[in-house]
Amino acid sequence: MPFIPPFYNKSDLRAFYTPSESEVLAIQSDLSKPSIELDALTAEITRTKSLLQFLEDRHTRLNIPVTRTRQFIAASPVRRLPFDVLRIIFLSFCHTPVPGDVMGYQLPFTLAVVCSHWRAIVMKTPVLWTV
């Protein structure tokens, strides 16, 4: 049940009502239990925020390697292709006419920037660079 001050009256606040000494003591007495509960709630909120920050930090630290590992696994079928198979795929890809690639040079460059493994294959396959 919410705390309702015993002497709270909007008209008192507008009229600058000043409580008497006995009213102040009664209000302070009435405030003791809600004040204790408020302090306990504040402490619990602080503890919960601290726990939340700890869990978020832990989540972030764990999320990075898990995400990278999942990405590695997702890309693994292509990673497992042998050098010669990738070279054959690249050759067929680069010798197929592509609109906008007038000179035929863009495709080897495109393949070479995918990753260092693909770049090594492109660089070790001179026939990719012939028109």
Side-chain angles (χ1 to χ4, degrees), residues 44-57:
E44 183 67 17
I45 288 169
T46 301
R47 188 190 69 74
T48 303
K49 283 181 178 179
S50 176
L51 177 60
L52 178 62
Q53 184 63 49
F54 169 77
L55 292 173
E56 286 175 341
D57 291 345

Side-chain angles (χ1 to χ4, degrees), residues 24-74:
V24 168
L25 292 174
I27 292 170
Q28 287 175 338
S29 173
D30 289 341
L31 278 176
S32 66
K33 186 175 180 181
S35 292
I36 291 169
E37 184 179 357
L38 182 62
D39 291 343
L41 288 171
T42 301
E44 183 67 17
I45 288 169
T46 301
R47 188 190 69 74
T48 303
K49 283 181 178 179
S50 176
L51 177 60
L52 178 62
Q53 184 63 49
F54 169 77
L55 292 173
E56 286 175 341
D57 291 345
R58 188 171 167 200
H59 178 271
T60 301
R61 284 192 308 272
L62 186 60
N63 188 39
I64 292 169
V66 167
T67 300
R68 286 182 181 158
T69 304
R70 285 178 180 161
Q71 290 170 344
F72 178 77
I73 291 170

Side-chain angles (χ1 to χ4, degrees), residues 14-29:
R14 282 191 286 260
F16 296 103
Y17 174 77
T18 304
S20 67
E21 277 299 314
S22 62
E23 289 174 329
V24 168
L25 292 174
I27 292 170
Q28 287 175 338
S29 173

